[in-house]
Amino acid sequence: MLLKYLCTFFKICHNEGINTMNLKQRSSGVLLHISSLPSPYGIGTLGKEAYQFVDFLKDCHVKIWQMLPLNVTSYGDSPYQSPSSNGLNYYFIDLRVLVEKGLLTQEEVEACDMGDNPQRVNYGKLFNNRIPLLKLAFSRFDKKEKAFVDFVNKGEYHDFAFFMTLKSLNGFAPWYQWEDKYRNYTPLLEIEMRQKHSDLYLFYQWTQYEFLLEFNQLKQYVHDNGIVLLGDMPLYLAFDSVEAYKYPQLFLFDEKHNPTVVAGVPPDYFSVDGQLWGNPIYDWDYMKKTGYQWFNERIEKNLKVFDLLRIDHFRGFSSYFTIPFGMTNARIGQWVKGPGMDFFKDKTDLPIIAEDLGDLDEDVYTLLRESTYPGMKVLEFAFDGDKDNPHKPTNSTENFCCYTGTHDNMPLRGYLEQLDEQALSSYRNDLKEQCKLYDVDYRGDDVVSLCLTTCSMAYASPCRFAVLPLQDLLALGANTRMNLPSSLSEDNWSYRAKKEDFSEDLKQFIQSNIERYHR
């Protein structure tokens, strides 16, 4: 019933022009997370620079702004390892808006140390200094404001606020390290925490309230300028999440509330140990018995925030790799059949893009066809001398989204700079051949020219959508990589763009490609 309503809702929205782009037309986008926007206060926000970026996209005739998950980050700073499936990242609240509302002074904002590197987010300083600043703002907020009271009573972010209250009381340690009176969830504990620590609980509710006020205003501006938001929903949740803490029935846990198996991917050409993600695995049998209610509601919440939704690790719905809990790598594990089309049978009209990368089999391809969702083609993988490479434009069709790379890949220039001469020669030769077929100007053999030519190839490809990371459009190198999977580093998730990156030259490059290739 829920998904039937959602499908009808999106048809109505599109007919009424709420989503201003025809999702069946060729179009282009830019991938840049909120955190990567320029700002004077340590991290990109929902404030002035976000609006300036929308203006830039409009001037370029770009129709899609792709973001990464907007979830609160925790250990490892990853939006894919959040303490809540729907808790929104309060670091993105714009401090200048709080000054305008009289909740902070400019002097208080300026005195807060949030990092001094305009090209890197310093999450440690944000945690230690920005959160107290937000609490100061909340102390001046009228908690009896009717809109806020109604927001709290609606309960949509209750689990997030309750869990973050407990985390605060336990020094932000993961829930499975808390003392017994907190570690073992009960409804009575929930009532006690909300009453005994109401100010802390309401603070976390307010972060969501303020975030949504700012985000919804930005989203309206995005729509007013003929652009849509493409978001990202991780398949898995963190073990240290309110869902794993409060709803263990959703996961394959033992009687001690420990995972029996965890998620990852097996060894491949790129990694001899595979990738050990460590996320708990869903109990899909339980999910099916409930009509996939929890997951349906999760998709509904995401599609209230975004216009289009990329589902990360889509192949996990076909089959997923399980690793015994306690292993230190992903060498030992097995593939298990997922819910498949039974999960998606009532969702085929939803505006979803499937992240279908990785080790795929025929079952995944079948699921893609039956769901009708666009899959992904990544040109960084395409030009290796193999004429049957599925990422080559000649092996692509309309129902795909073409990328030069993703947030998990090395930026294209960095990738090219680390290739040996033989692999680089194959890349050049393959790219030249594809350029001839798609009327793309081959700019030259140096890595910057190869990057820009590859960007043009993405626009020229037969895929319906072409979404390019800003780093590739600027031909930036390895030091601008967004994330190295299965690693912990201050470089992960911390890349930030500079104001001067959004130049007239870049605008003209994007415009000319969009016009030439009818996007």
Side-chain angles (χ1 to χ4, degrees):
M1 185 68 185
L2 169 70
L3 269 299
K4 185 176 181 181
Y5 158 77
L6 262 178
C7 293
T8 303
F9 170 77
F10 276 100
K11 288 176 182 176
I12 293 171
C13 286
H14 293 155
N15 290 339
E16 293 182 354
I18 294 174
N19 284 345
T20 53
M21 187 190 80
N22 184 338
L23 300 179
K24 295 297 183 182
Q25 288 181 340
R26 282 172 64 82
S27 53
S28 70
V30 174
L31 168 56
L32 186 70
H33 194 35
I34 292 284
S35 64
S36 297
L37 290 168
S39 92
Y41 303 119
I43 192 171
T45 72
L46 300 167
K48 180 176 71 173
E49 290 79 12
Y51 288 82
Q52 291 173 340
F53 182 60
V54 174
D55 293 339
F56 176 81
L57 295 179
K58 181 184 179 183
D59 289 344
C60 295
H61 310 305
V62 167
K63 294 297 184 183
I64 301 170
W65 177 3
Q66 180 175 347
M67 303 172 176
L68 301 181
L70 296 174
N71 302 85
V72 170
T73 56
S74 185
Y75 180 70
D77 308 319
S78 170
Y80 295 86
Q81 293 281 354
S82 177
S84 167
S85 66
N86 72 326
L88 299 162
N89 194 338
Y90 36 73
Y91 292 153
F92 297 163
I93 293 172
D94 190 71
L95 299 178
R96 287 165 296 196
V97 172
L98 300 184
V99 171
E100 291 169 5
K101 292 181 176 182
L103 301 177
L104 293 173
T105 68
Q106 188 61 37
E107 291 74 22
E108 289 166 338
V109 172
E110 297 293 343
C112 184
D113 180 7
M114 289 171 274
D116 55 8
N117 185 347
Q119 295 177 259
R120 288 287 172 194
V121 178
N122 188 322
Y123 286 97
K125 288 189 175 181
L126 293 182
F127 178 80
N128 290 321
N129 301 325
R130 197 183 190 101
I131 293 177
L133 195 63
L134 292 174
K135 287 182 176 179
L136 177 62
F138 174 65
S139 72
R140 297 163 178 164
F141 174 74
D142 181 6
K143 303 168 187 61
K144 295 181 181 179
E145 182 181 290
K146 184 179 184 305
F148 177 65
V149 172
D150 291 345
F151 177 86
V152 173
N153 289 339
K154 189 177 180 182
E156 189 170 353
Y157 293 92
H158 165 72
D159 281 352
F160 166 76
F162 163 60
F163 189 66
M164 293 304 294
T165 299
L166 285 177
K167 282 187 75 69
S168 299
L169 295 173
N170 286 274
F172 290 93
W175 65 262
Y176 43 86
Q177 294 178 5
W178 298 346
E179 54 184 292
D180 285 350
K181 72 172 183 176
Y182 296 119
R183 187 172 66 243
N184 300 308
Y185 168 80
T186 66
L188 287 177
L189 174 66
E190 194 167 321
I191 295 170
E192 178 189 347
M193 288 301 100
R194 184 169 180 175
Q195 294 175 346
K196 189 175 180 181
H197 302 281
S198 62
D199 205 54
L200 190 57
Y201 169 82
L202 289 175
F203 165 71
Y204 283 109
Q205 286 274 13
W206 172 79
T207 64
Q208 305 302 285
Y209 176 73
E210 180 61 33
F211 180 105
L212 287 168
L213 286 177
E214 295 184 20
F215 180 83
N216 288 333
Q217 187 173 351
L218 174 63
K219 184 177 179 181
Q220 185 61 56
Y221 189 76
V222 168
H223 288 174
D224 289 345
N225 284 281
I227 299 166
V228 297
L229 295 179
L230 168 56
D232 197 306
M233 188 186 80
L235 170 58
Y236 292 122
L237 303 180
F239 186 29
D240 183 29
S241 66
V242 64
E243 288 81 9
Y245 171 70
K246 185 177 175 181
Y247 306 107
Q249 67 272 20
L250 297 175
F251 306 93
L252 296 176
F253 288 158
D254 63 21
E255 66 279 0
K256 295 182 179 179
H257 207 155
N258 290 318
T260 55
V261 287
V262 294
V265 290
D268 58 17
Y269 175 80
F270 300 101
S271 173
V272 295
D273 288 330
Q275 296 180 26
L276 176 62
W277 301 335
N279 308 76
I281 299 287
Y282 298 113
D283 185 339
W284 285 112
D285 289 338
Y286 171 82
M287 292 277 194
K288 183 172 183 176
K289 290 176 184 176
T290 63
Y292 304 107
Q293 179 181 351
W294 177 85
F295 231 113
N296 290 343
E297 290 174 356
R298 185 184 180 201
I299 290 176
E300 178 191 19
K301 290 173 184 175
N302 273 273
L303 286 173
K304 284 181 179 179
V305 174
F306 301 113
D307 305 303
L308 284 160
L309 186 64
R310 191 195 85 135
I311 296 183
D312 190 57
H313 197 54
F314 182 81
R315 73 103 60 242
F317 290 96
S318 172
S319 59
Y320 50 91
F321 194 67
T322 64
I323 304 158
F325 180 61
M327 302 298 292
T328 57
N329 57 54
R331 291 182 182 179
I332 297 176
Q334 63 177 344
W335 288 101
V336 179
K337 191 171 181 59
M341 197 57 202
D342 187 60
F343 176 76
F344 289 108
K345 63 180 182 292
D346 57 354
K347 304 175 180 65
T348 55
D349 287 338
L350 295 181
I352 286 171
I353 293 173
E355 188 270 286
D356 58 337
L357 306 178
D359 181 17
L360 307 184
D361 57 21
E362 190 54 41
D363 285 347
V364 182
Y365 295 125
T366 299
L367 180 58
L368 270 171
R369 287 192 300 270
E370 292 180 349
S371 68
T372 72
Y373 301 144
M376 289 175 56
K377 301 290 186 180
V378 180
L379 296 187
E380 187 171 298
F381 305 152
F383 308 121
D384 60 356
D386 178 3
K387 65 180 178 61
D388 295 323
N389 185 313
H391 293 282
K392 271 189 170 58
T394 45
N395 295 321
S396 302
T397 60
E398 179 189 7
N399 198 35
F400 283 94
C401 185
C402 184
Y403 291 80
T404 49
T406 75
H407 64 276
D408 280 337
N409 301 136
M410 178 72 78
L412 186 55
R413 178 175 176 175
Y415 170 77
L416 293 170
E417 287 176 336
Q418 70 180 13
L419 291 180
D420 61 37
E421 189 51 46
Q422 181 178 352
L424 188 58
S425 178
S426 292
Y427 190 100
R428 289 175 180 139
N429 293 335
D430 262 8
L431 183 57
K432 284 179 183 177
E433 289 301 314
Q434 296 286 306
C435 284
K436 294 174 186 176
L437 296 171
Y438 289 95
D439 188 30
V440 175
D441 297 328
Y442 184 80
R443 292 171 172 263
D445 288 346
D446 63 282
V447 291
V448 172
S449 295
L450 289 173
C451 282
L452 297 179
T453 302
T454 305
C455 288
S456 294
M457 180 57 67
Y459 290 112
S461 79
C463 300
R464 182 181 309 142
F465 305 127
V467 178
L468 288 75
L470 181 69
Q471 296 97 310
D472 291 349
L473 286 163
L474 293 168
L476 300 178
N479 64 328
T480 64
R481 182 171 186 159
M482 192 63 168
N483 179 52
L484 179 63
S486 294
S487 71
L488 292 174
S489 168
E490 291 182 355
D491 290 338
N492 284 349
W493 312 111
S494 63
Y495 161 72
R496 297 181 66 198
K498 299 176 293 185
K499 285 186 178 180
E500 54 266 34
D501 288 337
F502 305 100
S503 65
E504 192 63 32
D505 286 346
L506 177 60
K507 185 185 299 183
Q508 290 178 5
F509 176 75
I510 297 173
Q511 279 179 346
S512 62
N513 277 284
I514 287 174
E515 290 169 6
R516 181 170 180 173
Y517 301 111
H518 309 291
R519 291 195 180 276

